[in-house]
Amino acid sequence: VPELDRDAHRLVVDGLVERPLELSLADLRERFERVRVRATLHCAGNRRAQLIEVAPVPGHVPWREAAIGNAEWGGVRLRDVLTAAGILDGAGHVAAEGLDVSYEPGEPTRFGGSVPIGRDAVLADEMNGEPLPPLHGAPLRLVVPGYVGARSVKWLAQLTVQHEPSTNWFQAVSYRMQRTLDEPGYALGETAVNSAIARPENGGRMRAGSVAVEGWATSGGDRVVERVEVSVDGEWHEADLDGAPLAGAWRRWRVVVEVAPGEHELAARAWDSSAATQPEDPRGLWNPNGYANNAWHRVRVVCD
Amino acid sequence: VPELDRDAHRLVVDGLVERPLELSLADLRERFERVRVRATLHCAGNRRAQLIEVAPVPGHVPWREAAIGNAEWGGVRLRDVLTAAGILDGAGHVAAEGLDVSYEPGEPTRFGGSVPIGRDAVLADEMNGEPLPPLHGAPLRLVVPGYVGARSVKWLAQLTVQHEPSTNWFQAVSYRMQRTLDEPGYALGETAVNSAIARPENGGRMRAGSVAVEGWATSGGDRVVERVEVSVDGEWHEADLDGAPLAGAWRRWRVVVEVAPGEHELAARAWDSSAATQPEDPRGLWNPNGYANNAWHRVRVVCD
């Protein structure tokens, strides 16, 4: 976690713009309208553990279903800042770079990535009504709802408007969907419909009868979660969804199912506004970095 | 097909706008920049036949995999016309209404539907460089890339900027994803990743050896097709994709596979830029109107 001085921090905005900007946090607060946006951030490798059961994924964290979180982000609109800089013809993408340095690429490299120029995003200095914590990217981070978490660059120092997507190592080389490690594959970006059971936990024991099953569901881009279903041993039940649909934010869900004594498999699947649902089987989704698993989430429970 | 007089036709733009407009085709041509956009239109019920194999879908056309087409649409941007009218605060959706009257809702009803206000779309009066044919909605139609075909309203006469989505029967009642016919379900909109094998046809006979497999792949919203794979009896091969990825337009694909004498199952699945792929099994996708099937497409062939 880089230790940054709030007062000295500057955001540089350059590239294909009429007026390059160098903005302090005070400039951002004074010159632009404040917004608060609920958005989910999730790791591209969330739910990798289920892929590792299919085949090994060396060198990556075996995330189960909790490499995900949802918060209310306070800050200013990316769009307003780019408009102030004056977007020039030919602009296709906005590349973000943070001040954290990784040695993973072989040489010290700042973390970065890009999103298409029209994408709604927030330059956030607050999280859930409090100043952004250092671990979450203080003093300033990008938050891109509906995209893999890697695009929500922390410790944000640079925005570059450019014709092509970012050539940063963490987009051009890493965070890609590959069939094999020796082909380039394609960059991750928008996320797909996904869901998981948070309770009960896999391997849990409980009393037979009415069991509350709860979890989260998300989609990507401008899509919203429309439906979640939970099966008990293959029989599907519709879950109640929390709150109104909002693109880029998760929906929590809950359903009470009747479970007889014995061992059972619970599974969850979500549907989004594109009428997409999750694939049944993780075997078709395995990839050598274990990204983007959205197979039905399954837990086994024993009821007494 | 309504028979319309090009010279007399008017497009009314009203609702949450500063300046309601009534535009002739000449006005549209004179006042707005011309664009040409390649876009795929597909029926929400495309590939319904595979769902009907799971369980009956009464009252609907048993489309196989060809209720889809791709064209270059010439016209003006929806966005430019709405900007000329002046979009007011609170605008969330733009509802389109055509001049074709359906008796399916029980009383004579014009066909219509809406898209979110920021969605890129074209008011098209040309198709593949020719005047728009009557069957395709002449003299003017809406073309909404990345959405179900039902949103690309033909014989377009009215655009209404409004707070909420369209209450037209063909969006509020029909073209919805339902679990059962007595629940409202949710409106179809953006489409999900999909693909199908066009050649060889199901039940085809051919010589064993090298067989060319060809087809189409699409996605919805701002997503593009990134990869197509074809399996021969469960073994997957990557197909070559035609052209550059373009949101809203299909990609044709082709792969040559080696096939031994005997009966074989070929299957196709696509991946899009959200790392979404198609579900394996149509059984989980069945719905009472047979919409939005994007299960792996399968054909059986016999090789001599």
Side-chain angles (χ1 to χ4, degrees):
Chain A
V1 176
E3 286 188 18
L4 302 177
D5 177 351
R6 285 183 68 83
D7 293 333
H9 191 71
R10 294 290 180 276
L11 175 67
V12 172
V13 184
D14 61 17
L16 293 172
V17 297
E18 283 175 55
R19 296 170 294 279
L21 303 175
E22 189 176 318
L23 300 164
S24 67
L25 295 179
D27 292 335
L28 285 170
R29 285 193 163 258
E30 281 157 24
R31 291 183 53 180
F32 302 99
E33 186 187 349
R34 299 285 299 176
V35 292
R36 286 188 171 193
V37 172
R38 281 198 300 126
T40 296
L41 297 187
H42 42 142
C43 182
N46 191 26
R47 306 194 54 216
R48 181 180 287 128
Q50 195 185 23
L51 299 181
I52 293 174
E53 290 172 17
V54 175
V57 178
H60 286 278
V61 180
W63 295 115
R64 288 171 53 196
E65 57 281 3
I68 186 169
N70 195 72
E72 188 184 75
W73 306 94
V76 302
R77 292 184 194 91
L78 172 64
R79 181 188 303 264
D80 292 347
V81 171
L82 297 182
T83 300
I87 300 168
L88 292 174
D89 282 354
H93 301 264
V94 53
E97 196 177 76
L99 292 177
D100 54 327
V101 172
S102 170
Y103 291 82
E104 196 185 340
E107 54 187 338
T109 303
R110 285 190 181 172
F111 188 89
S114 64
V115 291
I117 194 82
R119 190 73 221 161
D120 284 331
V122 178
L123 306 177
D125 57 7
E126 287 184 351
M127 180 179 173
N128 293 330
E130 308 273 339
L132 189 66
L135 196 62
H136 286 282
L140 190 69
R141 80 175 299 176
L142 188 63
V143 173
V144 187
Y147 270 62
V148 290
R151 293 295 172 270
S152 289
V153 174
K154 299 178 185 177
W155 310 293
L156 182 69
Q158 172 81 43
L159 294 173
T160 308
V161 177
Q162 53 194 53
H163 188 61
E164 299 292 337
S166 174
T167 57
N168 185 284
W169 191 87
F170 291 95
Q171 180 162 330
V173 178
S174 183
Y175 289 106
R176 296 179 77 84
M177 278 298 277
Q178 296 167 292
R179 276 170 62 95
T180 61
L181 288 172
D182 57 9
E183 63 130 50
Y186 63 92
L188 294 165
E190 276 192 23
T191 52
V193 63
N194 210 337
S195 65
I197 298 167
R199 294 191 193 86
E201 283 195 87
N202 192 37
R205 280 194 93 93
M206 64 204 68
R207 292 186 63 145
S210 298
V211 171
V213 185
E214 298 177 305
W216 54 260
T218 61
S219 190
D222 299 323
R223 287 160 285 134
V224 298
V225 173
E226 294 279 10
R227 183 190 291 165
V228 173
E229 294 167 316
V230 169
S231 92
V232 181
D233 304 324
E235 178 141 345
W236 293 92
H237 307 267
E238 190 156 359
D240 292 320
L241 292 165
D242 208 18
L246 176 68
W250 74 14
R251 294 185 84 174
R252 295 174 66 175
W253 52 264
R254 185 174 194 273
V255 59
V256 175
V257 295
E258 297 302 314
V259 184
E263 192 179 342
H264 302 281
E265 186 185 77
L266 307 179
R269 66 178 182 198
W271 301 73
D272 74 13
S273 49
S274 75
T277 192
Q278 302 174 228
E280 181 174 340
D281 191 334
R283 284 175 297 181
L285 306 183
W286 188 90
N287 61 89
N289 295 300
Y291 288 135
N293 176 32
N294 72 335
W296 295 358
H297 185 229
R298 298 168 193 269
V299 302
R300 295 199 75 81
V301 295
V302 177
C303 294
D304 299 311
Chain B
V1 176
E3 286 187 19
L4 302 177
D5 177 351
R6 286 184 65 84
D7 294 332
H9 191 71
R10 295 291 180 274
L11 174 67
V12 172
V13 184
D14 61 17
L16 294 172
V17 297
E18 283 173 54
R19 296 169 294 278
L21 302 175
E22 189 175 320
L23 301 163
S24 68
L25 295 179
D27 292 335
L28 284 171
R29 286 194 162 260
E30 281 158 24
R31 292 183 53 180
F32 302 99
E33 186 187 349
R34 299 284 299 176
V35 293
R36 286 189 171 194
V37 172
R38 281 199 299 126
T40 296
L41 296 187
H42 42 143
C43 183
N46 191 26
R47 305 195 54 216
R48 180 179 286 129
Q50 196 185 22
L51 298 182
I52 292 173
E53 290 172 18
V54 175
V57 178
H60 287 278
V61 181
W63 296 115
R64 286 171 54 197
E65 57 280 3
I68 186 168
N70 195 72
E72 188 183 75
W73 307 94
V76 302
R77 293 184 193 93
L78 172 63
R79 183 188 303 265
D80 291 349
V81 172
L82 297 182
T83 300
I87 300 168
L88 292 175
D89 282 354
H93 302 264
V94 54
E97 196 178 77
L99 292 178
D100 53 326
V101 171
S102 170
Y103 292 83
E104 196 187 340
E107 54 187 338
T109 303
R110 285 190 180 172
F111 187 89
S114 64
V115 291
I117 194 81
R119 191 73 222 160
D120 284 331
V122 178
L123 305 177
D125 57 7
E126 286 184 354
M127 181 180 173
N128 293 330
E130 307 274 338
L132 189 66
L135 197 61
H136 286 281
L140 190 68
R141 80 176 298 176
L142 188 62
V143 173
V144 187
Y147 270 61
V148 289
R151 294 293 172 271
S152 289
V153 173
K154 299 178 185 176
W155 309 294
L156 182 69
Q158 171 80 43
L159 294 173
T160 308
V161 177
Q162 53 195 53
H163 187 60
E164 298 292 336
S166 174
T167 56
N168 185 284
W169 191 87
F170 291 95
Q171 180 163 330
V173 178
S174 183
Y175 288 108
R176 297 178 76 85
M177 278 296 277
Q178 296 167 290
R179 277 171 61 94
T180 61
L181 288 172
D182 56 10
E183 63 129 50
Y186 63 92
L188 294 165
E190 276 191 24
T191 52
V193 63
N194 210 337
S195 66
I197 297 166
R199 295 192 195 84
E201 283 195 88
N202 192 38
R205 280 193 93 94
M206 63 205 68
R207 292 186 64 144
S210 298
V211 171
V213 185
E214 299 177 306
W216 54 260
T218 61
S219 191
D222 300 323
R223 288 160 285 134
V224 297
V225 173
E226 294 279 9
R227 183 191 291 166
V228 172
E229 295 167 315
V230 169
S231 93
V232 181
D233 304 324
E235 178 140 344
W236 292 92
H237 306 268
E238 190 157 357
D240 292 320
L241 292 165
D242 206 18
L246 176 67
W250 74 14
R251 295 185 83 174
R252 295 174 65 173
W253 53 263
R254 185 173 195 272
V255 59
V256 175
V257 295
E258 297 302 314
V259 184
E263 192 178 344
H264 302 282
E265 185 186 77
L266 307 179
R269 65 177 182 198
W271 301 73
D272 74 13
S273 49
S274 75
T277 191
Q278 302 174 226
E280 181 175 339
D281 190 335
R283 284 175 297 179
L285 306 183
W286 188 91
N287 60 88
N289 295 300
Y291 288 134
N293 177 31
N294 71 335
W296 295 358
H297 186 227
R298 299 167 192 270
V299 301
R300 296 198 74 82
V301 296
V302 177
C303 294
D304 300 310

